[in-house]
Amino acid sequence: MKATVLLILTMLGCGADKTAGETSEQSAPKRDHFPFPSMHMMTDGHVALPDDLPMAEGGTPVQTQRLAWRTGFSVAQSAVIDMDVAIDKGSLPAQSLPQTDGSVQLWDLTAGEPVLCFAELDAAETVSGEFPSIIVRPQDALKPGHQIAVVVTDQVLTGAGTPIETVPWYRDVVAGNPEPGLSDWVGHYQDLHTQLQSLGVTGIRLAFDFPVSDGGQPVRHVTREVAVPTAYTIDEVRSTDDGIFMPEGGWKQLRGTYTTTNWLVDDLRTELDTDGLPIAQGTVEADLRIYIPESVRDAEPGSVPVWIFGHGLFGKPDMYLGDNDDPSKVAKLADEAGVIVFATVWRGFKDSDRIHAIDIADDFGRVHEITERLTQGISNVKALSRLILETDVLRAPELMGLPDESVGLRYYGISLGGIAGAVTIANTPAIEHAVFNVGGGAWSTMLERSAQWIPFDWIMIENIPSPRDRQLLYALSQLYWDPVDPFNHTEALMGRSVLWQEALGDEQVPNMTTRMLARAVGATYLAPTLEDVPGLEVQEGPITGPAYVQYDPETVRPAEANSPGMPSGAHSAIRTWPGCRQQTAHFNDSIAPGEAVHFCGDTPCTASNPGS
């Protein structure tokens, strides 16, 4: 049924977008949902989302009880402000020029410091009775245990070019004349208003606040508790010696499984204890793939290093290393580096999970399923590292004695493999060096801007016609994404030997999320540079990680809007360049690893200068 919905929407081109003149029963969300998030959604020190959140007709209510363990909102939390007036978007701090002052501000009240941010008007087509929401995006990770304030000032202009008026409910509660239902909040908002003024904020037209908490505990729990695989199989050996086609540089592909801890009930969701931690459900079989390149055919026994590879969104390892076509040049990289590559699938985002993702877009109240399946995927990759390091799999006869067991394990991940991979590496100290190609974070911010989101956007519009309601759902969904979001694992990435490779104009993983993550882990920016990144120290190579480097595919840049970027190829281009492959192989080198070096001469790596 869901596949049919997608097919119909695809044929229609843009689904059931409503024009400004149309009306809908869902076009006017309850005011007590906005602004989001706020202290009004906290009870007894825990997040308490309302039960009447938007949902598809006949759909599943948002599973708010699954967040009851949380003591605050996300470290990557977007805020949504329900506006009752047209706003001049030019008066808002732009995505390309995030600010710590001006018309819309974020403040860390606990530290008494401003937070780098930008604000945008929702780019979705409006419905009758609504003006576009203002969405406030932090560009520095928020700190767990801290209180954050969102402030709208008189520098925000209306569509007529005049300063906005103070929001009536806020004006009245600060003045001590609250509207019904806000009497108990007078002291809170008066104190907030006074504190902001003491920090130098002027012209306040609206302010609200919320606490922040660490959302990474579920994944830290499963990666800490996942057992060493109790068994593995190698069921099939495919080889070019037998006439099997492989990508350039490929020689053998081994297919099998390994037994690991299962965290999913019905392969869909985790069962949580009272602390919000997943409960183990026995064991499950995970896919095992091992790739041996042509370059090690005649290598000395015990001399070949081992990497783990993390595939991209809705992919599988064979798409990169086992099929005849290798558009990402991962098999070529393995051949050039002379390494054996182990891989499994990211549960929740493998190729066959796309239909499940469509189901979620059709029934957004089940969003926790996709994030909890990815929790299983991260657990499976952690288990794969334990299989390699703590069992005899490297001595399996099919590997011909080639692996070097004395060399530490390395990781290379692309796209999703750079996002979920960063979470995995943060929770796997035994993997000492890792390269994340076009990875980022802040899932709820990434999704709307990703070219991959286009068909899901159509379905969301069909089921949740109100743009305000959709923004509310996207913003609160970050609470479900948190366990599998690198921003909740930055402390464990600080000081680590890791490298982020960014493609300018990436139409799937927005550059701003990669840069925000680089700032959060204290990464050093490898020169020569292409674009300035506030908050990052620039150094000539070689440098050690955490490190960050830019590549320029020289493609059309995505619009600065919360809408899907049109496919441009920027996301997938840079990993195919010789300079990028050499940098990856050098950083993950078996003898002198962890050194970020530039391989495109005296100027940055670009489509015109990809290295040789």
Side-chain angles (χ1 to χ4, degrees), residues 354-427:
R354 191 181 291 268
I355 295 300
H356 178 251
I358 291 170
D359 287 346
I360 300 305
D362 201 45
D363 188 5
F364 204 74
R366 295 168 52 203
V367 66
H368 66 94
E369 292 179 5
I370 201 165
T371 65
E372 290 166 12
R373 289 175 115 193
L374 185 53
T375 295
Q376 178 73 55
I378 290 169
S379 175
N380 289 357
V381 177
K382 173 65 178 280
L384 179 60
S385 74
R386 301 198 72 180
L387 176 74
I388 297 167
L389 295 171
E390 301 178 54
T391 77
D392 65 354
V393 70
L394 296 185
R395 295 187 289 279
E398 293 86 353
L399 289 170
M400 302 164 290
L402 289 171
D404 185 345
E405 296 187 55
S406 69
V407 174
L409 191 56
R410 313 285 191 257
Y411 177 86
Y412 174 57
I414 286 172
S415 188
L416 174 65
I419 301 167
V423 176
T424 305
I425 298 307
N427 291 282

Side-chain angles (χ1 to χ4, degrees), residues 66 80 116 211 235 239 270 273 278 307 320 370 393 409 546 562 609:
R66 301 184 76 82
V80 183
L116 191 68
D235 304 316
S239 173
T270 57
D273 66 17
W307 291 9
Y320 301 84
I370 201 165
V393 70
L409 191 56
N562 64 314
N609 179 40

Side-chain angles (χ1 to χ4, degrees), residues 222-232 257-263 282-286 379-393 395 430:
V222 303
T223 53
R224 183 173 58 247
E225 298 297 326
V226 65
V228 177
T230 55
Y232 68 88
T257 62
Y258 58 100
T259 304
T260 185
T261 307
N262 178 38
W263 302 99
T283 60
V284 69
E285 297 302 303
S379 175
N380 289 357
V381 177
K382 173 65 178 280
L384 179 60
S385 74
R386 301 198 72 180
L387 176 74
I388 297 167
L389 295 171
E390 301 178 54
T391 77
D392 65 354
V393 70
R395 295 187 289 279

Side-chain angles (χ1 to χ4, degrees), residues 234 236-255 288-298 317-318 320-323 331 334-335 339-342 396-402:
I234 296 177
E236 181 181 6
V237 178
R238 297 164 54 83
S239 173
T240 56
D241 296 342
D242 301 322
I244 300 295
F245 289 109
M246 294 282 182
E248 182 183 2
W251 176 28
K252 291 190 176 185
Q253 176 200 108
L254 315 182
R255 295 180 174 180
L288 174 64
R289 296 290 184 268
I290 307 171
Y291 305 92
I292 307 174
E294 180 67 34
S295 63
V296 306
R297 179 189 288 267
D298 299 319
D318 287 354
Y320 301 84
L321 287 147
D323 296 341
D335 188 54
V339 297
I340 294 172
V341 179
F342 279 64
E398 293 86 353
L399 289 170
M400 302 164 290
L402 289 171

Side-chain angles (χ1 to χ4, degrees), residues 155-363:
Q155 294 182 46
V156 173
L157 304 180
T158 69
T162 58
I164 64 166
E165 299 291 333
T166 303
V167 173
W169 72 262
Y170 181 77
R171 176 197 62 212
D172 294 343
V173 75
V174 170
N177 300 306
E179 64 182 45
L182 290 179
S183 298
D184 293 340
W185 290 91
V186 170
H188 177 87
Y189 281 103
Q190 288 179 339
D191 289 346
L192 174 62
H193 194 86
T194 299
Q195 183 178 2
L196 289 168
Q197 288 180 321
S198 72
L199 291 169
V201 184
T202 60
I204 301 171
R205 294 296 182 256
L206 170 67
F208 56 97
D209 61 323
F210 58 91
V212 173
S213 69
D214 172 25
Q217 296 98 316
V219 157
R220 280 196 289 278
H221 173 73
V222 303
T223 53
R224 183 173 58 247
E225 298 297 326
V226 65
V228 177
T230 55
Y232 68 88
T233 66
I234 296 177
D235 304 316
E236 181 181 6
V237 178
R238 297 164 54 83
S239 173
T240 56
D241 296 342
D242 301 322
I244 300 295
F245 289 109
M246 294 282 182
E248 182 183 2
W251 176 28
K252 291 190 176 185
Q253 176 200 108
L254 315 182
R255 295 180 174 180
T257 62
Y258 58 100
T259 304
T260 185
T261 307
N262 178 38
W263 302 99
L264 294 176
V265 176
D266 299 328
D267 196 36
L268 284 177
R269 64 189 68 85
T270 57
E271 179 185 359
L272 304 178
D273 66 17
T274 55
D275 295 320
L277 302 179
I279 299 172
Q281 306 292 322
T283 60
V284 69
E285 297 302 303
D287 291 342
L288 174 64
R289 296 290 184 268
I290 307 171
Y291 305 92
I292 307 174
E294 180 67 34
S295 63
V296 306
R297 179 189 288 267
D298 299 319
E300 291 291 326
S303 66
V304 181
V306 174
W307 291 9
I308 288 178
F309 170 67
H311 67 77
L313 195 71
F314 299 125
K316 59 183 178 180
D318 287 354
M319 290 179 177
Y320 301 84
L321 287 147
D323 296 341
N324 188 39
D325 187 21
D326 176 25
S328 293
K329 303 300 180 188
V330 180
K332 187 174 180 64
L333 168 62
D335 188 54
E336 292 171 346
V339 297
I340 294 172
V341 179
F342 279 64
T344 187
V345 296
W346 294 113
R347 196 67 190 89
F349 280 112
K350 65 179 182 178
D351 57 337
S352 59
D353 287 329
R354 191 181 291 268
I355 295 300
H356 178 251
I358 291 170
D359 287 346
I360 300 305
D362 201 45
D363 188 5

Side-chain angles (χ1 to χ4, degrees), residues 360-534:
I360 300 305
D362 201 45
D363 188 5
F364 204 74
R366 295 168 52 203
V367 66
H368 66 94
E369 292 179 5
I370 201 165
T371 65
E372 290 166 12
R373 289 175 115 193
L374 185 53
T375 295
Q376 178 73 55
I378 290 169
S379 175
N380 289 357
V381 177
K382 173 65 178 280
L384 179 60
S385 74
R386 301 198 72 180
L387 176 74
I388 297 167
L389 295 171
E390 301 178 54
T391 77
D392 65 354
V393 70
L394 296 185
R395 295 187 289 279
E398 293 86 353
L399 289 170
M400 302 164 290
L402 289 171
D404 185 345
E405 296 187 55
S406 69
V407 174
L409 191 56
R410 313 285 191 257
Y411 177 86
Y412 174 57
I414 286 172
S415 188
L416 174 65
I419 301 167
V423 176
T424 305
I425 298 307
N427 291 282
T428 312
I431 302 180
E432 298 176 351
H433 308 280
V435 177
F436 309 126
N437 185 269
V438 292
W443 275 102
S444 61
T445 297
M446 283 193 296
L447 284 180
E448 279 190 283
R449 287 172 154 80
S450 173
Q452 293 264 15
W453 181 249
I454 293 172
F456 305 102
D457 191 42
W458 298 338
I459 298 172
M460 284 296 296
I461 292 171
E462 171 73 12
N463 285 298
I464 310 291
S466 163
R468 286 180 183 171
D469 283 351
R470 293 199 301 275
Q471 286 308 317
L472 174 65
L473 291 177
Y474 297 156
L476 69 84
S477 76
Q478 183 61 45
L479 299 173
Y480 297 102
W481 286 109
D482 263 5
V484 295
D485 196 309
F487 280 104
N488 288 276
H489 305 273
T490 53
E491 186 174 349
L493 290 167
M494 293 178 181
R496 294 289 298 276
S497 182
V498 292
L499 168 65
W500 279 269
Q501 297 168 329
E502 177 187 280
L504 297 187
D506 193 321
E507 80 278 21
Q508 294 190 37
V509 177
N511 293 158
M512 64 176 174
T513 68
T514 309
R515 297 172 189 188
M516 181 180 169
L517 186 55
R519 278 191 292 270
V521 303
T524 302
Y525 184 179
L526 178 65
T529 65
L530 285 158
E531 291 185 356
D532 292 337
V533 179

